Amino acid sequence: GNPQNLKCVTHNLHEMICTWDFSSRGRHGQTDFCYTTNDLTPQVCFKTKERRVEIPVPESSSTVTIKSSGTAFATKEFVIHQKDISFVPVTPHILSLTPDFSTSTLNLKWSDNGSVFPYGLDAIWQIQILRKETMEEVTQVTYYSKLTHEDLILSWNWSSDMPLECTSHYVKIRCYINATQFVGPKDWSEWSPAEMIPGKDTEPGESGVFPLDTVVAVGSDVTFCCVHEEDQHITNMTYGSKPYKMIQLSSRSHAIRVLNASASDTSGTNVVCHLKNGMDGTVVFVGYAPDIPQNLSCETSNFVIIKCTWKPGRPSGLYGERKTKYSLFERMSGKNVSCEVNEMNRDRACGFPVLPDQKTYDFILGVSNPIGQAQSSLLVDITQRVHPKTPEKLTVIENNSTSIQMRWFINGSFAGIRLLCQIEVSSGHSERRLHNVSMPGGKFSTYTARVNALHPYTKYQFRVHCSAADHFWRWSDWSRVMEQTTAEAS
Amino acid sequence: MAAADSPSAALRRRDLCSRGIRLAGKMRADVVDLLDAYVERQGLDASASVAAVEGVPLAAVERWDEQTGTQRLLENLAAYRAFRALLAQMLDEQREQLGEADAGLGRALAAVLLQVSAFAYHLEELLRLESRGIPGEEEDGPPPPPRLSIFEQKLRGLGVLRELAQWAVRSARDLRQLAKPSPATGAAPGLAESP
């Protein structure tokens, strides 16, 4: 029989695999195979027992002569044009498929086998995710890359809508290379063999409800599954106290799908798997990502600690080890402070140490919880944000008929600034009047002032509050009232 | 055979027993209240059946009538020491999971823990009265239990509180038994003898 049906396929645009058969059955013994390419290089011949040879891909065409020496000699010549050669890339090889159970993601790594192709070709990859014992397709994703004439390891992540423990997951990949210069028909490669991540439902004796103790955002759609032992029988699954329709994943795994989850109570929402004898469960905490902190403001009352306050926005609904955490980072010094905040009270505050020789602070208040994070920033000159502590120990140090000298103490280190204090003077029948006095700040020290133009033998009430003199920010609270009667006129 | 009590020891024991009975009654009432709050706050099903909690001696005992006084006290003491450790752990887990969010439940748990500790001390007093050696507590307490999932923690808490409520009832019965005067001498028997 004559050689016929010569077909050539290339996997790398360099070499092609040609196959043929014979017009009649019978023994065909050894074959003499000769080929020449169109640039008139000398004919190359060799013997083969196969019906398949690997020869170079021609620029435009090759002439092939197949002489078989079986029961009857038969020789056939073929002219193969590039347009007759199919280009089917080599089946991709998955290097690794790595599960991250905590985030229910799969990481796929494969080689793009780019070294065998010219630089710059576009490659298209189709990745198929399958699930369950029946290997049902979950999704098929297209991924694009460019070949660089080197073997690159490509990496791709897939987030499952279901915990990976629930049932086995499989991944397959194939590729298509857009060899624009190649005129022959181009096709997808074969699918790679499926790589598998076994679910807990394939492991003897394993059981549990998944995801285990997870945190999700309000409004999420969440799939929970119950993996039970071989001899167990599941009766129903509840979310909170509500039973949900079950989806069977395998003989040992059932799932429920909760849509648009609402905020959970402080102790979380129980997801319970009721079994013939017993139950299993998990807890999900449904809350909010932290809001961007509002009205961030920082001041110091003593030039020792800077106190920043802010409005937290909507409560996250997460508590304990899942609660929102706050940290104050100062860009210039690089210092970071984590703030201890009680989730239950509305106002939020955090202390940051005043740093030696630093007036300006570039704060970033970072806020994060398992669902998300946010931040606010504030650039502040702390000498312009002085809110002194309440003056203490207001006492008289000298008293005569028309004036009184008094002293008070302010807890703080104000050596770098001037203070402005107001002494409020009042007495039974006269109007209150304010006596302003400014003085250099001291370091945890006392301050004195004299009030004049008083009436003799008259009982007065005095109190004092202070602020920064040069850049007013806020008055301290008033000191306690001190009562004093002026001396009698002499 | 231990000698019968001296009148003052018998009086002291009856006083300790009656105070113990009142303490057990108060504890039971508080545990039942706590149980209701716990079930509701933890989103549990009140009728949920819970496996026996590891480390907790069961209140139900066979041949309760045949126990000697010492056996009763020693079993009670072992139980309340176990509850003390379990409640302390529940309190830690409560703080870890909820922080300041459910301070009410935390306070109630702490109050019951206090009562359990007081009751354990009370039992030790009774044993001391009988110059019974008080079993030492394991040097560093029971081995830390395996890390449970949050749902398992919730169920274990339910089991602990249920069992504690049972024990409070049993303890009151045990102490009433101990307080009974011996039929022969009319004096309260030594612990070894009193069934």
Side-chain angles (χ1 to χ4, degrees):
Chain A
N2 278 331
Q4 61 174 16
N5 298 329
L6 180 66
K7 291 193 186 71
C8 296
V9 177
T10 177
H11 294 306
N12 55 25
L13 303 177
H14 306 301
E15 302 295 318
M16 62 183 181
I17 296 165
C18 296
T19 57
W20 64 90
D21 56 35
F22 293 94
S23 56
S24 71
R25 304 173 72 85
R27 229 178 34 77
H28 294 285
Q30 191 153 284
T31 302
D32 290 324
F33 188 96
C34 298
Y35 70 91
T36 63
T37 53
N38 57 334
D39 48 21
L40 304 178
T41 48
Q43 192 179 50
V44 175
C45 292
F46 48 86
K47 295 184 182 304
T48 177
K49 286 200 172 93
E50 306 284 328
R51 298 185 188 184
R52 125 199 241 284
V53 293
E54 186 164 348
I55 59 174
V57 170
E59 287 298 320
S60 64
S61 67
S62 282
T63 303
V64 165
T65 311
I66 301 174
K67 187 169 22 175
S68 86
S69 60
T71 44
F73 276 91
T75 301
K76 184 83 184 292
E77 188 179 277
F78 301 85
V79 176
I80 314 160
H81 297 282
Q82 200 184 72
K83 67 177 177 56
D84 306 323
I85 303 164
S86 318
F87 169 39
V88 178
V90 171
T91 306
H93 167 58
I94 292 180
L95 295 174
S96 68
L97 179 62
T98 314
D100 178 344
F101 287 97
S102 64
T103 57
S104 301
T105 53
L106 291 176
N107 170 260
L108 178 69
K109 285 190 168 51
W110 73 96
S111 165
D112 76 352
N113 202 25
S115 60
V116 303
F117 295 107
Y119 182 90
L121 289 188
D122 288 325
I124 307 167
W125 310 86
Q126 276 186 342
I127 303 166
Q128 221 179 41
I129 309 280
L130 307 106
R131 193 182 271 164
K132 301 192 194 177
E133 285 165 335
T134 51
M135 287 182 81
E136 289 170 17
E137 182 183 316
V138 176
T139 186
Q140 178 165 299
V141 171
T142 303
Y143 181 89
Y144 299 90
S145 73
K146 206 172 262 294
L147 303 180
T148 60
H149 197 47
E150 288 173 350
D151 288 343
L152 292 185
I153 295 180
L154 300 180
S155 176
W156 173 75
N157 283 338
W158 175 67
S159 288
S160 168
D161 63 341
M162 166 189 303
L164 299 178
E165 295 94 335
C166 291
T167 192
S168 298
H169 287 75
Y170 308 83
V171 175
K172 299 197 292 190
I173 185 169
R174 68 177 181 175
C175 78
Y176 178 91
I177 293 176
N178 191 17
T180 47
Q181 306 303 324
F182 185 77
V183 297
K186 298 181 261 289
D187 201 352
W188 285 92
S189 73
E190 292 297 322
W191 285 102
S192 71
E195 278 293 321
M196 169 183 164
I197 299 297
K200 293 281 189 205
D201 58 346
T202 62
E203 296 171 25
E206 273 286 356
S207 67
V209 181
F210 303 96
L212 192 60
D213 302 347
T214 193
V215 183
V216 300
V218 169
S220 304
D221 297 342
V222 192
T223 299
F224 299 94
C225 70
C226 175
V227 174
H228 49 82
E229 298 191 32
E230 290 79 350
D231 57 354
Q232 274 283 14
H233 170 70
I234 184 169
T235 52
N236 70 356
M237 285 178 76
T238 52
Y239 175 81
S241 50
K242 188 178 154 206
Y244 268 69
K245 180 174 173 298
M246 290 193 294
I247 308 155
Q248 178 153 13
L249 302 179
S250 71
S251 57
R252 289 177 50 201
S253 182
H254 290 71
I256 59 173
R257 181 101 172 119
V258 175
L259 303 178
N260 192 18
S262 54
S264 52
D265 290 338
T266 53
S267 66
T269 301
N270 299 333
V271 185
V272 183
C273 173
H274 299 271
L275 300 158
K276 188 174 55 180
N277 33 43
M279 67 172 154
D280 207 338
T282 186
V283 179
V284 60
F285 297 88
V286 188
Y288 295 96
D291 271 351
I292 294 175
Q294 304 297 316
N295 312 346
L296 176 59
S297 167
C298 298
E299 63 181 35
T300 183
S301 63
N302 53 18
F303 276 96
V304 174
I305 290 287
I306 300 168
K307 178 181 166 191
C308 294
T309 56
W310 65 90
K311 293 282 179 230
R314 177 184 49 194
S316 68
L318 300 175
Y319 302 94
E321 53 187 17
R322 287 165 292 278
K323 73 177 182 179
T324 300
K325 295 185 169 61
Y326 301 82
S327 67
L328 204 50
F329 173 71
E330 203 284 314
R331 244 194 285 249
M332 295 185 190
S333 59
K335 188 171 177 57
N336 192 58
V337 165
S338 68
C339 313
E340 208 32 61
V341 168
N342 181 334
E343 200 68 21
M344 300 314 286
N345 51 42
R346 285 296 305 161
D347 40 8
R348 298 282 193 272
C350 191
F352 188 92
V354 170
L355 302 173
D357 309 322
Q358 183 169 337
K359 269 175 50 176
T360 305
Y361 293 77
D362 189 357
F363 285 123
I364 294 176
L365 176 66
V367 188
S368 69
N369 67 22
I371 295 175
Q373 54 195 15
Q375 67 180 41
S376 276
S377 51
L378 176 71
L379 182 66
V380 62
D381 175 343
I382 206 62
T383 62
Q384 300 179 19
R385 290 290 180 281
V386 178
H387 174 205
K389 287 190 186 290
T390 309
E392 305 164 40
K393 305 172 194 144
L394 178 60
T395 50
V396 171
I397 47 178
E398 203 189 301
N399 169 17
N400 62 39
S401 59
T402 60
S403 80
I404 285 180
Q405 190 171 22
M406 59 192 72
R407 178 177 59 214
W408 60 89
F409 170 80
I410 302 180
N411 189 359
S413 173
F414 304 101
I417 63 168
R418 287 186 63 78
L419 288 177
L420 167 68
C421 293
Q422 275 188 345
I423 302 164
E424 182 191 74
V425 183
S426 55
S427 74
H429 39 74
S430 74
E431 262 216 356
R432 287 169 197 260
R433 65 181 168 94
L434 289 176
H435 174 70
N436 286 349
V437 58
S438 111
M439 65 277 279
K443 198 165 187 176
F444 297 96
S445 70
T446 59
Y447 303 90
T448 61
R450 174 180 295 279
V451 175
N452 298 315
L454 298 177
H455 300 297
Y457 199 55
T458 305
K459 178 186 282 186
Y460 285 95
Q461 289 80 33
F462 302 95
R463 63 178 185 168
V464 62
H465 68 179
C466 300
S467 72
D470 301 328
H471 300 285
F472 178 81
W473 167 246
R474 287 172 66 181
W475 288 109
S476 73
D477 290 342
W478 285 104
S479 70
R480 290 222 303 237
V481 171
M482 174 191 68
E483 205 165 74
Q484 181 64 40
T485 303
T486 49
E488 292 187 53
S490 46
Chain B
M1 267 278 291
D5 275 342
S6 65
S8 66
L11 205 63
R12 170 84 175 121
R13 177 144 60 78
R14 199 171 302 118
D15 171 53
L16 279 174
C17 285
S18 61
R19 272 197 288 128
I21 292 164
R22 281 199 303 279
L23 189 51
K26 169 77 166 72
M27 186 162 48
R28 169 167 166 74
D30 288 352
V31 170
V32 167
D33 289 346
L34 174 57
L35 197 46
D36 292 342
Y38 185 84
V39 163
E40 191 250 327
R41 297 290 230 304
Q42 300 288 6
L44 293 170
D45 175 353
S47 64
S49 71
V50 180
V53 178
E54 204 182 322
V56 176
L58 292 178
V61 63
E62 285 165 19
R63 291 193 293 281
W64 176 81
D65 306 328
E66 299 163 16
Q67 282 200 322
T68 66
T70 301
Q71 280 172 324
R72 293 184 197 287
L73 285 178
L74 292 175
E75 282 195 10
N76 269 264
L77 184 57
Y80 285 93
R81 281 178 171 173
F83 283 123
R84 188 171 54 197
L86 287 162
L87 288 168
Q89 192 191 338
M90 279 173 71
L91 212 48
D92 287 344
E93 286 162 0
Q94 162 88 5
R95 284 194 193 103
E96 189 182 280
Q97 293 305 328
L98 300 182
E100 317 87 6
D102 206 333
L105 191 61
R107 279 194 299 272
L109 250 176
V112 167
L113 171 57
L114 218 55
Q115 291 181 65
V116 164
S117 302
F119 196 77
Y121 178 76
H122 204 78
L123 295 167
E124 287 166 3
E125 274 295 293
L126 272 166
L127 282 165
R128 261 190 284 273
L129 188 65
E130 307 305 325
S131 59
R132 286 277 158 206
I134 300 194
E137 298 205 62
E138 281 164 40
E139 258 330 285
D140 38 19
R147 171 94 190 166
L148 298 179
S149 75
I150 296 173
F151 187 72
E152 287 165 334
Q153 286 175 21
K154 288 186 175 189
L155 289 189
R156 185 191 52 203
L158 183 59
V160 167
L161 294 178
R162 278 181 179 165
E163 199 55 40
L164 177 54
Q166 300 295 328
W167 261 100
V169 172
R170 173 175 162 186
S171 300
R173 286 181 64 218
D174 282 338
L175 292 176
R176 276 191 207 96
Q177 193 68 10
L178 289 172
K180 276 184 191 164
S182 156
T185 62
L191 284 181
E193 299 149 45
S194 73

